[in-house]
Amino acid sequence: MLYLHATIITVSRAREIIEDGAILVRGSTIAAIGKSSSLVHEYAEEERYDLEGRIVIPGLINTHMHTAQTLLRGTADDLELVSWLCDRIWVLQGNFTAQDGYAAARLSIAEMLKSGTTCFLESMFADRYGFDGLCKAVDESGIRGCLGKIVMDIATYANDPAWAMHPGLIENREISLLGAVKMHEKWNGKADDRIRVWFGARTPGGVSDALYREMSALSKDKNIPITMHCAEVKADRTFFASVNHTPMSYCSSVDLLGPKTVLVHMTQLDNSDIQTLAETGTHVVHCPSSNCKLASGICRVPDLLKSNVSVSLGTDGAPCNNTCDMMQEMRLAGILHKVTQMNPTAVPAETVLEMATINGAKALGLADSIGSLEVGKKADFAVIDFRAVHLQPWHSAVSAVVYSATGRDVEMVVVNGKVVVEGGKLVTMDETDICKEAAGRAKDVVARAGLTEQVKARWPTI
């Protein structure tokens, strides 16, 4: 298929933007990219798809996502973190079934695909949610999924007994760590190599030093990457101080750091932590919406970037963001640091788009195949319709994408060479069925958790 007459933001090494550009897709890869006039002449017999008035970007890469939590959207709004986690989210998640996990995964993936995300990193999928169902949802939908199976053996947050997990979520070494290894053996590389299985470790304080070290050794031995929440809130700093460490000195002590580790949130860093991240090649995920909504803190993204730390973007879960739309996450990432630094040039639009594409690919170890639009790479891209009134006029394609568009403007999505969204509609899944099942299961989970009254609107509903 020859996709023609679009403005193409390649995010290639030269960072070229091609006006009236074309992409030739053969099989799962990009066979040619350039000016439409040139490719039409060279590939005259190819089937054509006209994208005039659209901007094409590499598929967005969401490097921090809780697929199960999309079923819990709006159930814990405007709460401080302890209540949010212990009284709502853990209680609700502790009442999940595997069928609920599958329905939540389908809903999450549908939302991500429709808003231009072609690859995501699931951070911490619990055993009770049904890992097989998550993999099935990825396979059926056509998306790429790097799927972190939870690793844990301590059932509190930051070693604080007041922050106790719901009994339904507690796992031990055999279920979590060894279970993740089993899922890696079963699923890694499946679905045309769109599925990769990761370790999704709990935050320090939720995993013993011994289990971290065992996981790190298995990571190196079996080539299983690691993702982990870290230094998200002040309570995390309190934990690290209690064991005479900074966040990164602790992670180093249990052999967690390196190019195959992705650490998430990271709002509580010292200068020495940033230096350690740079020296070890460890990746950082910035989740601005989640960190703002939960008042967790603000990641020192400008400082990290100045130190050549690779920073990517994540939406986090729906209860602390309310959307899986990476387009909206890009906008906030571009705006937030301007005011915190009192410097409007702190994180420009081009840097934000890199964070959402090629930096995400680097974090996932997939930069050789995704993250930019170049010959030989996988045909993963999103098409944004810029003909709408709210997107006119535009002068810089990158600025227009980052600051003006939202996921609702995505018209087409291609993953692995296959169209999965066309005309703004899912091709691979039934949206009506997904939404109906998710709505019903969400109510059932809330009822089983005994929280129906608590999640209602605060104002009277008549």
Side-chain angles (χ1 to χ4, degrees), residues 108-343:
S108 299
I109 291 168
E111 184 179 356
M112 285 191 285
L113 283 175
K114 282 171 62 68
S115 54
T117 292
T118 57
C119 183
F120 72 98
L121 175 56
E122 158 63 48
S123 62
M124 211 162 55
F125 205 79
D127 189 72
R128 72 173 301 119
Y129 308 156
F131 198 84
D132 287 336
L134 172 62
C135 294
K136 180 183 177 185
V138 171
D139 187 11
E140 294 169 340
S141 68
I143 202 168
R144 291 187 197 280
C146 295
L147 311 177
K149 170 77 169 63
I150 195 170
V151 176
M152 65 164 292
D153 60 351
I154 298 174
T156 56
Y157 189 104
N159 274 351
D160 187 338
W163 293 37
M165 293 186 80
H166 186 277
L169 289 177
I170 297 173
E171 298 185 26
N172 57 22
R173 169 184 176 272
E174 286 69 28
I175 296 173
S176 65
L177 179 68
L178 301 186
V181 172
K182 289 179 181 177
M183 290 299 99
H184 184 270
E185 293 170 349
K186 180 176 182 179
W187 284 104
N188 195 65
K190 295 297 176 63
D192 297 322
D193 201 31
R194 288 183 288 106
I195 293 176
R196 302 292 176 93
V197 178
W198 285 47
F199 289 130
R202 278 203 67 212
T203 309
V207 182
S208 66
D209 290 4
L211 193 61
Y212 271 139
R213 291 191 180 100
E214 184 179 4
M215 178 186 69
S216 297
L218 285 170
S219 172
K220 293 177 175 63
D221 181 55
K222 297 181 178 292
N223 195 28
I224 305 176
I226 298 168
T227 186
M228 184 181 77
H229 296 67
C230 189
E232 181 177 3
V233 293
K234 288 183 178 179
D236 294 322
R237 284 305 305 246
T238 301
F239 166 76
F240 291 125
S242 74
V243 291
N244 299 313
H245 277 292
T246 70
M248 292 307 97
S249 70
Y250 175 82
C251 289
S252 180
S253 75
V254 291
D255 203 22
L256 278 170
L257 302 181
K260 292 183 180 178
T261 294
V262 175
L263 300 180
V264 186
H265 296 301
M266 304 287 273
T267 71
Q268 310 289 320
L269 300 180
D270 292 341
N271 290 340
S272 63
D273 293 320
I274 294 175
Q275 182 179 351
T276 299
L277 289 164
E279 290 172 350
T280 58
T282 305
H283 301 272
V284 171
V285 183
H286 182 31
C287 302
S289 292
S290 170
N291 296 156
C292 286
K293 190 179 179 192
L294 292 176
S296 301
I298 298 174
C299 182
R300 293 172 59 184
V301 170
D303 294 333
L304 288 164
L305 293 173
K306 287 176 185 175
S307 296
N308 294 318
V309 176
S310 178
V311 182
S312 57
L313 280 181
T315 60
D316 208 347
C320 57
N321 185 328
N322 296 66
T323 178
C324 304
D325 183 353
M326 279 282 287
M327 301 284 287
Q328 294 188 54
E329 206 68 30
M330 283 198 292
R331 186 175 192 274
L332 182 56
I335 291 173
L336 179 63
H337 303 285
K338 296 177 180 354
V339 69
T340 61
Q341 300 282 307
M342 294 306 291
N343 176 7

Side-chain angles (χ1 to χ4, degrees), residues 56 59 66 94 102 104 130-131 148 215 231 235-236 247 273 291 373 380 384 430 435 441:
V56 177
H66 295 267
Y102 175 60
F131 198 84
M215 178 186 69
D236 294 322
D273 293 320
N291 296 156
L373 300 178
D380 288 16
I384 307 167
D430 186 325
C435 292
R441 289 195 174 276

Side-chain angles (χ1 to χ4, degrees), residues 10 35 51 55 173 203 238 355 427:
T10 64
K35 288 286 191 179
L51 295 178
I55 295 177
R173 169 184 176 272
T203 309
T238 301
M355 291 164 64
V427 173

Side-chain angles (χ1 to χ4, degrees), residues 414-435:
V414 175
V415 184
N416 220 36
K418 296 181 179 179
V419 176
V420 294
V421 174
E422 187 170 17
K425 301 292 184 182
L426 284 170
V427 173
T428 55
M429 298 189 291
D430 186 325
E431 291 182 46
T432 302
D433 179 64
I434 288 170
C435 292

Side-chain angles (χ1 to χ4, degrees), residues 1-4 6 23 25 48-51 54-60 112-118 327 379-387 406-415 417-427:
M1 177 67 74
L2 188 56
Y3 297 90
L4 294 165
I23 301 174
V25 175
R48 301 176 186 181
Y49 202 114
D50 191 340
L51 295 178
R54 284 77 157 188
I55 295 177
V56 177
I57 62 173
L60 299 173
M112 285 191 285
L113 283 175
K114 282 171 62 68
S115 54
T117 292
T118 57
M327 301 284 287
D380 288 16
F381 57 86
V383 178
I384 307 167
D385 189 349
F386 264 80
R387 297 172 297 175
T406 73
R408 292 180 179 87
D409 299 308
V410 173
E411 179 184 25
M412 172 182 280
V413 178
V414 175
V415 184
K418 296 181 179 179
V419 176
V420 294
V421 174
E422 187 170 17
K425 301 292 184 182
L426 284 170
V427 173

